[in-house]
């Protein structure tokens, strides 16, 4: 899945101030070149990250790094730090699972716990994100917050936009990286811009970052990869800490991104007296979150039966609103990515503005109806689907007899604060996409035409 080149030479690399690697005692050494650090962990935990315009080569058993000056058309020698990876070999092995995607779905109770570890003190009910602490006051004074991302990372921004606005009282805009650049969007010095990327190397997001840097905005990175380009080029940031994600279709990184953005929201609104009760409710929910995720994962046999029923279908509609509109977008993306079934995420408030024409007894529809401030409106959408002879598959709060009685199939999730329901609701859809792909005999870890890290526009 990752390009890797192995070259063996007879010296240990150590970069001096002139950029030349010299020998240390004539010890045996090997050099590996890879597009991703996780591909090297079985050989070494010591890596050097090269940057754009770096030229790296080996000569006479020594490593050289030079930097190309594109304007002067010359190169200069540079030094790069050797980084020790905090990654274990077992983290990038499948273990007892049939694929990396399945493993990463079932790792989410642990990955979410790791994302919160050392950042939320459940005894004092406080949140501390060390990577942004020194810039927190500047962020609170900003004119607006812009979230820029692509694909799954964009959906994590949509999933948390409502909470961020609620707790901070700051306008929040979520932008697709490519569209943001195409429009040459105005950016101001008092804007705070969050760049979200699992790999930290997404080309469109990086280009948007450099565009915003020229305009003086405060840049915040949210990535899962230490030493990535986004983490190097932003002023401050948050490491997702979800662990290595090998499968092309992102699962655990998505839920950890949501938790990072929830913690970011809590830091912005935590000192407001009017928000104390709400913040306490969310922190209590985060404490229970890993256990609630385990409960949802136990629904896997039920999801498999549903996948067997849906496998012959050619299309799938997913509907929701509020915090779970992003769940529909992300669930549809997962189904498309790995099972190659056409799927579409729809804001249920837009149902009568066109998408309702698609609904009949032969069109599978997934509707998310959870007990938040959109419950009545989502319930109305459910009734609209039934009135067109649709057979709705619902994701609702466990024990909601009203919704269960109206459903063709029903998936019950545990009760949790509304802003965290999108984490529990996406897991059945991740499992569904996985089982659909397996039933169709497809490679879930390497979908056709796709790459884990999108490094070209």
């Amino acid at each position: 899945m990752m390009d890797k080149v192995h070259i063996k030479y007879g010296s240990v690399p150590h970069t001096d101030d002139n950029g030349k690697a010299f020998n240390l005692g004539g010890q045996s050494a090997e050099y590996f070149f890879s597009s991703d650090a996780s591909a090297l962990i079985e050989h070494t935990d010591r890596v050097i990250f090269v940057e754009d315009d770096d030229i790296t080569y080996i000569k006479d058993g020594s490593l050289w790094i030079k930097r190309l000056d594109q304007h002067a058309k010359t190169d200069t020698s540079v030094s790069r730090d050797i980084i020790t990876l905090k990654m274990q070999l077992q983290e990038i092995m499948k273990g007892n699972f049939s694929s990396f995607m399945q493993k990463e779905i079932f790792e989410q109770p642990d990955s979410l716990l790791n994302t919160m570890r050392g950042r939320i003190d459940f005894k004092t009910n406080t949140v501390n994100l060390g990577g942004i602490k020194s810039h927190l006051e500047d962020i609170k004074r900003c004119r607006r917050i812009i979230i820029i991302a692509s694909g799954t990372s964009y959906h994590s921004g949509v999933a948390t936009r409502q909470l961020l606005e609620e707790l901070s009282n700051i306008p929040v805009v979520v932008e697709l990286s490519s569209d943001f650049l195409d429009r040459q969007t105005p950016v101001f010095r008092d804007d705070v811009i969050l760049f979200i990327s699992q790999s930290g190397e997404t080309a469109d997001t990086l280009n948007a970052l450099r565009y915003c840097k020229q305009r003086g905005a405060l840049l915040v990175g949210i990535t899962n990869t230490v030493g990535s380009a986004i983490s190097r080029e932003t002023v401050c940031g948050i490491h997702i800490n979800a662990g290595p994600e090998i499968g092309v279709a992102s699962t655990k990184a998505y839920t950890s991104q949501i938790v990072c953005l929830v913690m970011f929201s809590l830091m912005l609104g935590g000192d407001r007296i009017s928000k104390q009760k709400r913040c306490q409710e969310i922190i209590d929910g985060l404490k229970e979150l890993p256990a609630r995720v385990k409960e949802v994962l136990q629904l896997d046999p039920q999801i498999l039966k549903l996948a067997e029923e849906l496998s012959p279908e050619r299309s799938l509609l997913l509907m929701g609103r509020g915090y779970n509109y992003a769940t529909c977008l992300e669930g549809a993306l997962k189904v498309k990515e790995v099972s190659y079934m056409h799927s579409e995420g729809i804001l249920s408030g837009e149902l009568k503005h066109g998408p309702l024409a698609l609904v009949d007894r032969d069109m599978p529809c997934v509707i998310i109806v959870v007990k938040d401030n959109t419950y009545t409106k989502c319930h109305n959408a459910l009734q609209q689907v039934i009135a067109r002879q649709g057979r709705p598959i619902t994701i609702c709060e466990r024990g909601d007899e009203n919704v269960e009685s109206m459903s063709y199939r029903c998936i019950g999730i545990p009760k949790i604060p509304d802003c965290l329901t999108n984490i529990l609701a996406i897991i059945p859809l991740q499992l569904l996409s996985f089982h659909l792909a397996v039933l169709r005999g497809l490679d879930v870890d390497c979908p056709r035409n796709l790459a884990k890290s999108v490094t070209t526009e």
Side-chain angles (χ1 to χ4, degrees):
M1 268 180 282
M2 297 151 189
D3 300 328
K4 180 169 65 178
V5 179
H6 169 212
I7 304 174
K8 186 173 182 178
Y9 280 86
S11 62
V12 173
H14 180 80
T15 307
D16 67 10
D17 291 336
N18 295 318
K20 177 181 181 296
F22 54 85
N23 301 342
L24 295 178
Q27 296 172 299
S28 177
E30 293 176 298
Y31 299 93
F32 297 86
F33 292 82
S34 173
S35 59
D36 194 289
S38 61
L40 303 176
I41 197 63
E42 61 182 297
H43 307 288
T44 180
D45 62 354
R46 303 175 72 227
V47 300
I48 296 172
F49 292 101
V50 294
E51 299 181 7
D52 289 350
D53 299 326
D54 279 358
I55 301 173
T56 306
Y57 63 95
I58 292 173
K59 180 180 179 183
D60 299 328
S62 296
L63 176 68
W64 294 70
I65 301 177
K66 291 183 178 289
R67 187 162 183 81
L68 177 66
D69 186 333
Q70 294 184 346
H71 300 289
K73 303 299 182 183
T74 59
D75 57 56
T76 55
S77 295
V78 295
S79 62
R80 292 278 180 263
D81 293 332
I82 297 176
I83 307 296
T84 301
L85 297 174
K86 296 178 181 178
M87 189 186 300
Q88 302 297 321
L89 182 59
Q90 58 266 29
E91 292 183 275
I92 60 168
M93 305 297 286
K94 290 180 187 176
N96 297 324
F97 295 95
S98 63
S99 66
F100 284 110
M101 182 179 181
Q102 185 186 34
K103 173 177 179 276
E104 287 153 10
I105 291 172
F106 279 87
E107 281 180 342
Q108 288 178 102
D110 294 327
S111 62
L112 291 169
L113 194 61
N114 289 335
T115 299
M116 295 185 283
R117 194 186 307 277
R119 293 167 167 176
I120 302 181
D121 188 332
F122 292 109
K123 293 181 180 179
T124 60
N125 296 313
T126 55
V127 179
N128 181 19
L129 297 172
I132 64 166
K133 192 173 181 179
S134 59
H135 297 274
L136 188 59
E137 293 306 314
D138 292 332
I139 296 172
K140 288 180 179 180
R141 290 194 298 266
C142 73
R143 172 204 289 227
R144 62 175 173 171
I145 295 173
I146 305 175
I147 298 174
I148 299 178
S150 299
T152 288
S153 298
Y154 169 78
H155 297 156
S156 70
V158 175
T160 50
R161 169 179 55 192
Q162 182 177 337
L163 180 68
L164 195 49
E165 287 181 328
E166 177 190 346
L167 296 185
S168 69
N169 287 329
I170 299 171
V172 179
V173 180
V174 185
E175 298 274 4
L176 285 165
S177 308
S178 55
D179 183 55
F180 181 84
L181 282 171
D182 290 344
R183 299 188 343 255
Q184 293 288 292
T185 308
V187 174
F188 306 98
R189 292 180 62 86
D190 52 357
D191 288 335
V192 169
I193 308 182
L194 276 60
F195 298 91
I196 310 175
S197 168
Q198 188 279 140
S199 66
E201 303 287 347
T202 308
D204 285 326
T205 307
L206 261 175
N207 290 337
L209 187 158
R210 290 160 184 162
Y211 170 85
C212 295
K213 182 183 285 189
Q214 295 172 356
R215 286 150 180 82
L218 176 59
L219 312 181
V220 182
I222 301 177
T223 79
N224 194 38
T225 309
V226 175
S228 63
I230 288 177
S231 64
R232 292 195 307 268
E233 296 192 31
T234 45
V235 176
C236 58
I238 306 167
H239 182 236
I240 296 166
N241 204 27
E245 191 177 63
I246 308 300
V248 168
S250 181
T251 51
K252 65 178 183 177
Y254 174 69
T255 51
S256 286
Q257 284 170 347
I258 291 176
V259 168
C260 282
L261 288 165
V262 169
M263 292 190 294
F264 179 72
S265 303
L266 288 168
M267 282 199 74
L268 292 186
D271 58 354
R272 295 174 183 266
I273 295 175
S274 61
K275 307 294 184 183
Q276 290 300 305
K277 184 178 178 180
R278 176 65 162 157
C279 290
Q280 182 62 57
E281 175 193 15
I282 296 168
I283 291 173
D284 290 342
L286 288 170
K287 185 177 182 179
E288 297 177 0
L289 185 61
R292 301 290 85 82
V293 170
K294 285 183 180 179
E295 292 180 34
V296 178
L297 289 170
Q298 291 173 1
L299 300 173
D300 189 40
Q302 178 185 346
I303 305 298
L304 174 58
K305 289 181 181 179
L306 179 61
E308 290 170 347
E309 189 174 342
L310 292 176
S311 183
E313 302 290 346
R314 298 187 61 185
S315 190
L316 179 68
L317 299 181
L318 298 97
M319 307 174 195
R321 65 192 298 164
Y323 288 108
N324 281 292
Y325 172 49
T327 307
C328 298
L329 296 176
E330 175 63 10
L333 178 62
K334 286 292 148 293
V335 172
K336 279 183 278 199
E337 276 183 303
V338 298
S339 73
Y340 312 153
M341 178 193 288
H342 170 259
S343 54
E344 186 176 349
I346 298 168
L347 184 69
S348 56
E350 296 295 301
L351 195 57
K352 291 185 178 181
H353 295 274
L356 194 58
L358 295 171
V359 176
D360 59 24
R361 64 178 293 105
D362 298 319
M363 174 63 75
C365 297
V366 175
I367 305 179
I368 303 173
V369 189
V370 294
K371 291 187 175 179
D372 58 12
N373 63 347
T374 67
Y375 179 77
T376 302
K377 295 175 181 178
C378 290
H379 196 275
N380 290 341
L382 175 59
Q383 291 175 323
Q384 292 293 328
V385 170
I386 294 171
R388 272 75 179 177
Q389 286 76 51
R391 295 182 294 173
I393 301 160
T394 60
I395 299 175
C396 66
E397 190 176 299
R398 198 163 49 202
D400 188 341
E401 296 179 359
N402 190 23
V403 173
E404 289 174 356
S405 65
M406 301 174 67
S407 306
Y408 172 67
R409 295 282 184 269
C410 184
I411 300 166
I413 60 174
K415 181 178 176 60
I416 203 162
D418 55 359
C419 61
L420 302 177
T421 56
N422 44 31
I423 295 176
L424 299 187
I426 191 57
I427 293 170
L429 299 177
Q430 292 173 346
L431 290 168
L432 178 64
S433 63
F434 166 75
H435 288 305
L436 284 171
V438 172
L439 290 167
R440 293 179 171 204
L442 303 172
D443 186 343
V444 294
D445 288 333
C446 298
R448 66 189 181 196
N449 308 331
L450 300 177
K452 182 63 178 171
S453 180
V454 183
T455 54
T456 57
E457 292 186 89

